Amino acid sequence: GQSLEQPSEVTAVEGAIVQINCTYQTSGFYGLSWYQQHDGGAPTFLSYNGLDGLEETGRFSSFLSRSDSYGYLLLQELQMKDSASYFCAVREDTNAGKSTFGDGTTLTVKP
Amino acid sequence: EAQVTQNPRYLITVTGKKLTVTCSQNMNHEYMSWYRQDPGLGLRQIYYSMNVEVTDKGDVPEGYKVSRKEKRNFPLILESPSPNQTSLYFCASSLSSGTSYEQYFGPGTRLTVT
């Protein structure tokens, strides 16, 4: 099985940088994804790391270290609209159809 | 517009009354999946389908059934709903199981079972 841990809440101010961590314990691991979900909305895909290292997409970056079973999502130049929940998710390598999501981190951006 | 649609968006029903939540995607995706989301518990996978006529259990399949007779549709069936199935349900799809790290989600169906 899979188990993921991420902080339940993070607060930051507009313009700042925030890092949301995700640690995982898995019987198999294929890669780490990140999704954003605004209140009442559908999750939307942000980023994926299949290999160790940093992936950058605009203001968002994601990092993976397989040896540490750890990843993070980095949000730069925070805006009020970034207030949302952020989920990490893993896919099993033995069964590509199975996905496991973390419980989510609620990010609050303050002016 | 490329999208995943779900119907109904909101449903209040009573214990034991069979219901179906429909899910349809217009992106010709092979992979589809159902999740439920409860407060503080994130998304939990119910069932998924790698392709037509290929379905498998996720982490919380009890009390649910699915079918995949056409590529675009993946209905979720609750044969005898119970109050513990009150939840927010999301359908998702991706191009293939190989790209299931990037899933497109429908708008959600909020189900209340009394």
Side-chain angles (χ1 to χ4, degrees):
Chain A
Q2 317 276 35
S3 128
L4 295 91
E5 282 194 23
Q6 47 181 133
S8 58
E9 294 181 350
V10 173
T11 302
V13 296
E14 227 177 343
I17 299 172
V18 72
Q19 179 174 310
I20 298 173
N21 299 322
C22 175
T23 57
Y24 56 88
Q25 290 185 320
T26 62
S27 53
F29 178 81
Y30 200 86
L32 188 70
S33 299
W34 288 93
Y35 289 82
Q36 179 192 60
Q37 184 182 31
H38 284 100
D39 228 11
T44 56
F45 172 78
L46 288 177
S47 186
Y48 173 71
N49 294 78
L51 302 173
D52 282 4
L54 194 68
E55 292 284 339
E56 297 180 82
T57 311
R59 293 188 298 115
F60 294 178
S61 305
S62 59
F63 172 82
L64 175 66
S65 169
R66 287 172 173 263
S67 59
D68 295 321
S69 297
Y70 163 76
Y72 66 72
L73 179 70
L74 192 73
L75 296 85
Q76 302 181 76
E77 300 171 18
L78 280 175
Q79 302 174 9
M80 299 295 289
K81 67 178 181 179
D82 296 329
S83 291
S85 291
Y86 293 85
F87 297 89
C88 57
V90 300
R91 186 164 63 116
E92 292 184 9
D93 61 0
T94 50
N95 185 340
K98 284 201 73 176
S99 292
T100 302
F101 283 71
D103 288 343
T105 299
T106 300
L107 170 63
T108 303
V109 180
K110 295 189 172 181
Chain B
E1 179 191 354
Q3 60 183 348
V4 179
T5 57
Q6 296 179 226
N7 282 292
R9 295 289 314 280
Y10 302 90
L11 179 60
I12 300 174
T13 190
V14 296
T15 299
K17 186 176 180 183
K18 181 179 178 179
L19 67 92
T20 299
V21 183
T22 65
C23 173
S24 183
Q25 49 89 9
N26 62 1
M27 296 171 279
N28 201 35
H29 283 175
E30 289 183 349
Y31 176 91
M32 298 185 76
S33 184
W34 275 103
Y35 297 89
R36 61 177 288 173
Q37 185 174 33
D38 301 294
L41 290 181
L43 292 145
R44 292 182 291 169
Q45 192 176 39
I46 304 171
Y47 270 95
Y48 62 90
S49 170
M50 309 263 255
N51 213 326
V52 175
E53 302 291 2
V54 181
T55 63
D56 207 346
K57 297 177 181 178
D59 290 323
V60 289
E62 296 78 21
Y64 305 94
K65 282 176 58 176
V66 293
S67 68
R68 185 93 181 272
K69 293 183 169 51
E70 306 166 282
K71 200 172 189 179
R72 64 182 295 130
N73 297 323
F74 190 43
L76 180 70
I77 302 155
L78 285 74
E79 295 265 1
S80 183
S82 63
N84 64 14
Q85 293 178 298
T86 292
S87 188
L88 178 59
Y89 291 88
F90 286 103
C91 179
S93 73
S94 71
L95 187 61
S96 69
S97 58
T99 58
S100 62
Y101 55 80
E102 180 179 357
Q103 295 183 41
Y104 296 82
F105 283 80
T109 295
R110 191 168 291 280
L111 172 66
T112 302
V113 184
T114 62

Short mmCIF file of all heavy atoms in Angstrom, two decimals, chain B residues 2-49:
data_model
loop_
_atom_site.label_atom_id
_atom_site.label_comp_id
_atom_site.label_asym_id
_atom_site.label_seq_id
_atom_site.Cartn_x
_atom_site.Cartn_y
_atom_site.Cartn_z
N ALA B 2 -12.57 20.44 -24.31
CA ALA B 2 -12.19 19.18 -23.69
C ALA B 2 -12.65 19.18 -22.24
O ALA B 2 -12.35 20.11 -21.49
CB ALA B 2 -10.68 19.00 -23.75
N GLN B 3 -13.41 18.16 -21.86
CA GLN B 3 -13.90 18.17 -20.50
C GLN B 3 -14.37 16.79 -20.03
O GLN B 3 -14.61 15.89 -20.83
CB GLN B 3 -15.05 19.15 -20.36
CG GLN B 3 -16.24 18.86 -21.24
CD GLN B 3 -17.32 19.93 -21.11
OE1 GLN B 3 -17.30 20.79 -20.21
NE2 GLN B 3 -18.28 19.91 -22.00
N VAL B 4 -14.49 16.71 -18.72
CA VAL B 4 -15.11 15.56 -18.06
C VAL B 4 -16.40 16.07 -17.43
O VAL B 4 -16.38 17.07 -16.70
CB VAL B 4 -14.19 14.97 -16.97
CG1 VAL B 4 -14.87 13.79 -16.29
CG2 VAL B 4 -12.85 14.54 -17.58
N THR B 5 -17.50 15.42 -17.74
CA THR B 5 -18.79 15.86 -17.19
C THR B 5 -19.35 14.78 -16.27
O THR B 5 -19.15 13.58 -16.49
CB THR B 5 -19.80 16.18 -18.29
OG1 THR B 5 -19.96 15.02 -19.12
CG2 THR B 5 -19.34 17.32 -19.16
N GLN B 6 -20.05 15.23 -15.25
CA GLN B 6 -20.69 14.33 -14.29
C GLN B 6 -22.13 14.77 -14.09
O GLN B 6 -22.42 15.96 -14.06
CB GLN B 6 -19.98 14.38 -12.93
CG GLN B 6 -18.57 13.90 -12.91
CD GLN B 6 -17.94 14.01 -11.52
OE1 GLN B 6 -16.82 14.48 -11.39
NE2 GLN B 6 -18.65 13.58 -10.49
N ASN B 7 -23.00 13.79 -13.93
CA ASN B 7 -24.40 14.08 -13.62
C ASN B 7 -24.96 13.03 -12.69
O ASN B 7 -24.64 11.84 -12.84
CB ASN B 7 -25.23 14.11 -14.91
CG ASN B 7 -25.04 15.41 -15.65
OD1 ASN B 7 -25.46 16.46 -15.19
ND2 ASN B 7 -24.37 15.34 -16.78
N PRO B 8 -25.77 13.44 -11.70
CA PRO B 8 -26.08 14.83 -11.40
C PRO B 8 -24.96 15.51 -10.64
O PRO B 8 -24.01 14.85 -10.22
CB PRO B 8 -27.34 14.70 -10.54
CG PRO B 8 -27.13 13.41 -9.81
CD PRO B 8 -26.44 12.50 -10.78
N ARG B 9 -25.03 16.80 -10.47
CA ARG B 9 -24.05 17.53 -9.66
C ARG B 9 -24.39 17.45 -8.18
O ARG B 9 -23.50 17.44 -7.33
CB ARG B 9 -24.01 19.00 -10.09
CG ARG B 9 -23.51 19.22 -11.51
CD ARG B 9 -22.00 18.95 -11.62
NE ARG B 9 -21.24 19.56 -10.55
CZ ARG B 9 -20.90 20.84 -10.51
NH1 ARG B 9 -21.22 21.64 -11.51
NH2 ARG B 9 -20.23 21.32 -9.47
N TYR B 10 -25.65 17.37 -7.88
CA TYR B 10 -26.10 17.27 -6.49
C TYR B 10 -27.21 16.22 -6.44
O TYR B 10 -28.06 16.17 -7.32
CB TYR B 10 -26.65 18.61 -5.99
CG TYR B 10 -25.67 19.74 -6.07
CD1 TYR B 10 -25.59 20.54 -7.21
CD2 TYR B 10 -24.82 20.02 -5.01
CE1 TYR B 10 -24.68 21.57 -7.28
CE2 TYR B 10 -23.91 21.05 -5.07
CZ TYR B 10 -23.84 21.82 -6.22
OH TYR B 10 -22.94 22.84 -6.27
N LEU B 11 -27.18 15.40 -5.38
CA LEU B 11 -28.21 14.38 -5.24
C LEU B 11 -28.43 14.08 -3.77
O LEU B 11 -27.48 13.83 -3.03
CB LEU B 11 -27.79 13.10 -5.97
CG LEU B 11 -28.74 11.91 -5.91
CD1 LEU B 11 -30.09 12.28 -6.51
CD2 LEU B 11 -28.15 10.71 -6.63
N ILE B 12 -29.69 14.14 -3.38
CA ILE B 12 -30.09 13.71 -2.04
C ILE B 12 -31.00 12.51 -2.23
O ILE B 12 -31.98 12.58 -2.97
CB ILE B 12 -30.84 14.84 -1.29
CG1 ILE B 12 -29.94 16.07 -1.15
CG2 ILE B 12 -31.27 14.34 0.10
CD1 ILE B 12 -30.65 17.27 -0.55
N THR B 13 -30.67 11.42 -1.56
CA THR B 13 -31.45 10.20 -1.71
C THR B 13 -31.62 9.52 -0.36
O THR B 13 -31.10 9.99 0.66
CB THR B 13 -30.79 9.26 -2.73
OG1 THR B 13 -31.67 8.17 -3.04
CG2 THR B 13 -29.49 8.69 -2.17
N VAL B 14 -32.34 8.41 -0.37
CA VAL B 14 -32.58 7.68 0.88
C VAL B 14 -31.84 6.35 0.86
O VAL B 14 -31.51 5.81 -0.21
CB VAL B 14 -34.09 7.44 1.10
CG1 VAL B 14 -34.80 8.78 1.27
CG2 VAL B 14 -34.70 6.66 -0.05
N THR B 15 -31.59 5.84 2.02
CA THR B 15 -30.89 4.57 2.15
C THR B 15 -31.58 3.48 1.35
O THR B 15 -32.80 3.32 1.40
CB THR B 15 -30.86 4.17 3.64
OG1 THR B 15 -30.15 5.16 4.37
CG2 THR B 15 -30.16 2.83 3.83
N GLY B 16 -30.75 2.75 0.56
CA GLY B 16 -31.25 1.59 -0.16
C GLY B 16 -31.78 1.85 -1.56
O GLY B 16 -32.06 0.90 -2.29
N LYS B 17 -31.93 3.09 -1.94
CA LYS B 17 -32.47 3.39 -3.27
C LYS B 17 -31.34 3.48 -4.29
O LYS B 17 -30.55 4.43 -4.28
CB LYS B 17 -33.26 4.69 -3.23
CG LYS B 17 -33.97 5.00 -4.53
CD LYS B 17 -34.82 6.26 -4.41
CE LYS B 17 -35.52 6.56 -5.72
NZ LYS B 17 -36.31 7.81 -5.65
N LYS B 18 -31.32 2.53 -5.19
CA LYS B 18 -30.23 2.43 -6.17
C LYS B 18 -30.07 3.72 -6.95
O LYS B 18 -31.06 4.36 -7.34
CB LYS B 18 -30.52 1.28 -7.13
CG LYS B 18 -29.44 1.07 -8.19
CD LYS B 18 -29.77 -0.10 -9.11
CE LYS B 18 -28.73 -0.27 -10.20
NZ LYS B 18 -29.01 -1.42 -11.08
N LEU B 19 -28.81 4.10 -7.20
CA LEU B 19 -28.56 5.29 -8.00
C LEU B 19 -27.32 5.11 -8.85
O LEU B 19 -26.45 4.28 -8.57
CB LEU B 19 -28.41 6.51 -7.08
CG LEU B 19 -27.21 6.57 -6.17
CD1 LEU B 19 -26.05 7.31 -6.84
CD2 LEU B 19 -27.55 7.27 -4.86
N THR B 20 -27.27 5.91 -9.91
CA THR B 20 -26.13 5.90 -10.82
C THR B 20 -25.67 7.33 -11.02
O THR B 20 -26.48 8.23 -11.27
CB THR B 20 -26.51 5.30 -12.19
OG1 THR B 20 -26.93 3.94 -12.00
CG2 THR B 20 -25.33 5.33 -13.14
N VAL B 21 -24.37 7.52 -10.92
CA VAL B 21 -23.76 8.80 -11.24
C VAL B 21 -23.02 8.62 -12.56
O VAL B 21 -22.17 7.72 -12.67
CB VAL B 21 -22.79 9.27 -10.14
CG1 VAL B 21 -22.24 10.65 -10.49
CG2 VAL B 21 -23.47 9.30 -8.78
N THR B 22 -23.35 9.43 -13.53
CA THR B 22 -22.72 9.25 -14.84
C THR B 22 -21.46 10.10 -14.95
O THR B 22 -21.32 11.15 -14.31
CB THR B 22 -23.68 9.63 -15.98
OG1 THR B 22 -23.97 11.02 -15.89
CG2 THR B 22 -24.96 8.81 -15.90
N CYS B 23 -20.53 9.61 -15.75
CA CYS B 23 -19.29 10.32 -16.05
C CYS B 23 -18.99 10.14 -17.52
O CYS B 23 -19.01 8.99 -18.03
CB CYS B 23 -18.15 9.78 -15.20
SG CYS B 23 -16.53 10.48 -15.66
N SER B 24 -18.67 11.23 -18.19
CA SER B 24 -18.36 11.15 -19.61
C SER B 24 -17.22 12.10 -19.93
O SER B 24 -17.15 13.20 -19.39
CB SER B 24 -19.61 11.54 -20.42
OG SER B 24 -19.36 11.41 -21.79
N GLN B 25 -16.31 11.64 -20.80
CA GLN B 25 -15.22 12.50 -21.24
C GLN B 25 -15.17 12.52 -22.76
O GLN B 25 -15.47 11.54 -23.42
CB GLN B 25 -13.87 12.06 -20.63
CG GLN B 25 -13.53 10.59 -20.75
CD GLN B 25 -12.80 10.18 -22.00
OE1 GLN B 25 -12.36 11.02 -22.79
NE2 GLN B 25 -12.64 8.87 -22.18
N ASN B 26 -14.76 13.68 -23.31
CA ASN B 26 -14.75 13.85 -24.76
C ASN B 26 -13.33 13.98 -25.30
O ASN B 26 -13.11 14.57 -26.37
CB ASN B 26 -15.59 15.07 -25.16
CG ASN B 26 -15.04 16.36 -24.58
OD1 ASN B 26 -14.01 16.37 -23.90
ND2 ASN B 26 -15.71 17.47 -24.85
N MET B 27 -12.36 13.42 -24.58
CA MET B 27 -10.96 13.57 -24.97
C MET B 27 -10.37 12.26 -25.51
O MET B 27 -9.16 12.17 -25.71
CB MET B 27 -10.15 14.04 -23.74
CG MET B 27 -10.58 15.43 -23.26
SD MET B 27 -9.84 15.89 -21.69
CE MET B 27 -10.90 15.03 -20.53
N ASN B 28 -11.20 11.26 -25.69
CA ASN B 28 -10.75 9.95 -26.18
C ASN B 28 -9.72 9.32 -25.23
O ASN B 28 -8.79 8.63 -25.67
CB ASN B 28 -10.17 10.05 -27.60
CG ASN B 28 -10.18 8.71 -28.31
OD1 ASN B 28 -11.08 7.90 -28.14
ND2 ASN B 28 -9.15 8.46 -29.12
N HIS B 29 -9.89 9.57 -23.95
CA HIS B 29 -8.97 9.02 -22.95
C HIS B 29 -9.25 7.55 -22.69
O HIS B 29 -10.40 7.13 -22.61
CB HIS B 29 -9.08 9.81 -21.65
CG HIS B 29 -8.38 11.13 -21.69
ND1 HIS B 29 -8.44 12.03 -20.65
CD2 HIS B 29 -7.60 11.69 -22.63
CE1 HIS B 29 -7.72 13.09 -20.94
NE2 HIS B 29 -7.22 12.92 -22.15
N GLU B 30 -8.18 6.79 -22.52
CA GLU B 30 -8.33 5.37 -22.22
C GLU B 30 -8.61 5.14 -20.74
O GLU B 30 -9.34 4.24 -20.36
CB GLU B 30 -7.05 4.61 -22.60
CG GLU B 30 -6.83 4.48 -24.09
CD GLU B 30 -5.60 3.66 -24.41
OE1 GLU B 30 -4.81 3.37 -23.49
OE2 GLU B 30 -5.42 3.30 -25.59
N TYR B 31 -7.97 5.93 -19.88
CA TYR B 31 -8.00 5.71 -18.45
C TYR B 31 -9.05 6.59 -17.79
O TYR B 31 -9.14 7.79 -18.07
CB TYR B 31 -6.63 6.02 -17.86
CG TYR B 31 -6.53 5.93 -16.35
CD1 TYR B 31 -6.16 4.74 -15.73
CD2 TYR B 31 -6.79 7.03 -15.54
CE1 TYR B 31 -6.06 4.64 -14.35
CE2 TYR B 31 -6.70 6.94 -14.17
CZ TYR B 31 -6.32 5.75 -13.57
OH TYR B 31 -6.23 5.66 -12.21
N MET B 32 -9.87 5.98 -16.93
CA MET B 32 -10.85 6.73 -16.14
C MET B 32 -10.87 6.19 -14.72
O MET B 32 -10.54 5.02 -14.48
CB MET B 32 -12.24 6.64 -16.79
CG MET B 32 -12.29 7.26 -18.18
SD MET B 32 -13.94 7.29 -18.90
CE MET B 32 -14.71 8.65 -18.00
N SER B 33 -11.28 7.06 -13.80
CA SER B 33 -11.23 6.67 -12.39
C SER B 33 -12.29 7.42 -11.60
O SER B 33 -12.70 8.51 -11.98
CB SER B 33 -9.83 6.99 -11.84
OG SER B 33 -9.69 6.55 -10.52
N TRP B 34 -12.72 6.81 -10.49
CA TRP B 34 -13.64 7.44 -9.57
C TRP B 34 -12.98 7.60 -8.21
O TRP B 34 -12.29 6.69 -7.73
CB TRP B 34 -14.90 6.59 -9.38
CG TRP B 34 -15.94 6.83 -10.42
CD1 TRP B 34 -16.25 6.03 -11.49
CD2 TRP B 34 -16.84 7.95 -10.49
NE1 TRP B 34 -17.26 6.60 -12.22
CE2 TRP B 34 -17.64 7.76 -11.63
CE3 TRP B 34 -17.03 9.08 -9.70
CZ2 TRP B 34 -18.65 8.67 -12.00
CZ3 TRP B 34 -18.02 9.99 -10.06
CH2 TRP B 34 -18.81 9.78 -11.19
N TYR B 35 -13.24 8.78 -7.60
CA TYR B 35 -12.72 9.09 -6.27
C TYR B 35 -13.86 9.61 -5.41
O TYR B 35 -14.81 10.20 -5.91
CB TYR B 35 -11.65 10.18 -6.34
CG TYR B 35 -10.43 9.80 -7.12
CD1 TYR B 35 -10.36 10.02 -8.48
CD2 TYR B 35 -9.33 9.23 -6.49
CE1 TYR B 35 -9.25 9.68 -9.22
CE2 TYR B 35 -8.20 8.88 -7.21
CZ TYR B 35 -8.17 9.11 -8.58
OH TYR B 35 -7.05 8.77 -9.29
N ARG B 36 -13.68 9.42 -4.12
CA ARG B 36 -14.55 10.12 -3.18
C ARG B 36 -13.68 11.01 -2.30
O ARG B 36 -12.52 10.68 -2.02
CB ARG B 36 -15.38 9.16 -2.33
CG ARG B 36 -14.64 8.20 -1.45
CD ARG B 36 -15.59 7.35 -0.61
NE ARG B 36 -16.23 8.12 0.45
CZ ARG B 36 -17.20 7.65 1.24
NH1 ARG B 36 -17.65 6.42 1.07
NH2 ARG B 36 -17.74 8.41 2.18
N GLN B 37 -14.26 12.13 -1.91
CA GLN B 37 -13.52 13.06 -1.08
C GLN B 37 -14.35 13.41 0.14
O GLN B 37 -15.47 13.91 0.02
CB GLN B 37 -13.17 14.34 -1.86
CG GLN B 37 -12.30 15.31 -1.07
CD GLN B 37 -11.85 16.49 -1.89
OE1 GLN B 37 -12.56 16.97 -2.78
NE2 GLN B 37 -10.66 16.98 -1.63
N ASP B 38 -13.80 13.13 1.29
CA ASP B 38 -14.45 13.45 2.56
C ASP B 38 -13.57 14.45 3.30
O ASP B 38 -12.35 14.48 3.11
CB ASP B 38 -14.63 12.17 3.38
CG ASP B 38 -15.46 11.15 2.65
OD1 ASP B 38 -16.65 11.42 2.42
OD2 ASP B 38 -14.93 10.09 2.27
N PRO B 39 -14.19 15.27 4.14
CA PRO B 39 -13.42 16.33 4.83
C PRO B 39 -12.21 15.77 5.55
O PRO B 39 -12.31 14.83 6.34
CB PRO B 39 -14.46 16.90 5.82
CG PRO B 39 -15.77 16.62 5.18
CD PRO B 39 -15.62 15.30 4.48
N GLY B 40 -11.04 16.34 5.27
CA GLY B 40 -9.81 15.95 5.94
C GLY B 40 -9.19 14.66 5.46
O GLY B 40 -8.14 14.27 5.96
N LEU B 41 -9.82 14.01 4.49
CA LEU B 41 -9.30 12.70 4.05
C LEU B 41 -8.79 12.70 2.63
O LEU B 41 -8.45 11.66 2.11
CB LEU B 41 -10.37 11.62 4.20
CG LEU B 41 -10.73 11.25 5.62
CD1 LEU B 41 -11.78 10.14 5.64
CD2 LEU B 41 -9.48 10.78 6.39
N GLY B 42 -8.75 13.84 1.98
CA GLY B 42 -8.24 13.86 0.62
C GLY B 42 -9.11 13.04 -0.33
O GLY B 42 -10.29 12.78 -0.07
N LEU B 43 -8.51 12.61 -1.42
CA LEU B 43 -9.22 11.84 -2.44
C LEU B 43 -8.86 10.37 -2.29
O LEU B 43 -7.68 10.02 -2.23
CB LEU B 43 -8.80 12.31 -3.83
CG LEU B 43 -9.24 13.71 -4.21
CD1 LEU B 43 -8.21 14.40 -5.08
CD2 LEU B 43 -10.56 13.64 -4.95
N ARG B 44 -9.87 9.53 -2.25
CA ARG B 44 -9.64 8.10 -2.17
C ARG B 44 -10.22 7.43 -3.41
O ARG B 44 -11.37 7.65 -3.76
CB ARG B 44 -10.25 7.53 -0.89
CG ARG B 44 -9.55 7.99 0.38
CD ARG B 44 -10.16 7.36 1.61
NE ARG B 44 -11.51 7.86 1.88
CZ ARG B 44 -12.33 7.32 2.76
NH1 ARG B 44 -11.97 6.25 3.44
NH2 ARG B 44 -13.53 7.84 2.95
N GLN B 45 -9.41 6.58 -4.00
CA GLN B 45 -9.81 5.96 -5.26
C GLN B 45 -10.78 4.82 -5.02
O GLN B 45 -10.53 3.93 -4.20
CB GLN B 45 -8.57 5.46 -6.00
CG GLN B 45 -8.82 5.06 -7.44
CD GLN B 45 -7.53 4.68 -8.14
OE1 GLN B 45 -6.65 4.06 -7.57
NE2 GLN B 45 -7.39 5.11 -9.40
N ILE B 46 -11.88 4.82 -5.77
CA ILE B 46 -12.91 3.79 -5.62
C ILE B 46 -12.69 2.67 -6.64
O ILE B 46 -12.53 1.51 -6.28
CB ILE B 46 -14.32 4.40 -5.81
CG1 ILE B 46 -14.54 5.57 -4.84
CG2 ILE B 46 -15.39 3.34 -5.62
CD1 ILE B 46 -15.81 6.35 -5.12
N TYR B 47 -12.73 3.01 -7.90
CA TYR B 47 -12.48 2.09 -9.00
C TYR B 47 -11.77 2.86 -10.10
O TYR B 47 -11.86 4.08 -10.18
CB TYR B 47 -13.81 1.56 -9.58
CG TYR B 47 -14.33 0.30 -8.94
CD1 TYR B 47 -15.27 0.36 -7.90
CD2 TYR B 47 -13.93 -0.95 -9.39
CE1 TYR B 47 -15.76 -0.80 -7.32
CE2 TYR B 47 -14.42 -2.11 -8.82
CZ TYR B 47 -15.33 -2.03 -7.78
OH TYR B 47 -15.82 -3.17 -7.22
N TYR B 48 -11.10 2.10 -10.96
CA TYR B 48 -10.51 2.71 -12.14
C TYR B 48 -10.66 1.76 -13.32
O TYR B 48 -10.96 0.57 -13.15
CB TYR B 48 -9.04 3.08 -11.90
CG TYR B 48 -8.15 1.91 -11.59
CD1 TYR B 48 -7.49 1.22 -12.62
CD2 TYR B 48 -7.95 1.50 -10.28
CE1 TYR B 48 -6.67 0.15 -12.33
CE2 TYR B 48 -7.14 0.44 -9.99
CZ TYR B 48 -6.50 -0.24 -11.00
OH TYR B 48 -5.70 -1.31 -10.72
N SER B 49 -10.45 2.32 -14.51
CA SER B 49 -10.57 1.54 -15.73
C SER B 49 -9.43 1.92 -16.66
O SER B 49 -9.25 3.09 -16.99
CB SER B 49 -11.92 1.82 -16.40
OG SER B 49 -11.95 1.26 -17.68
#
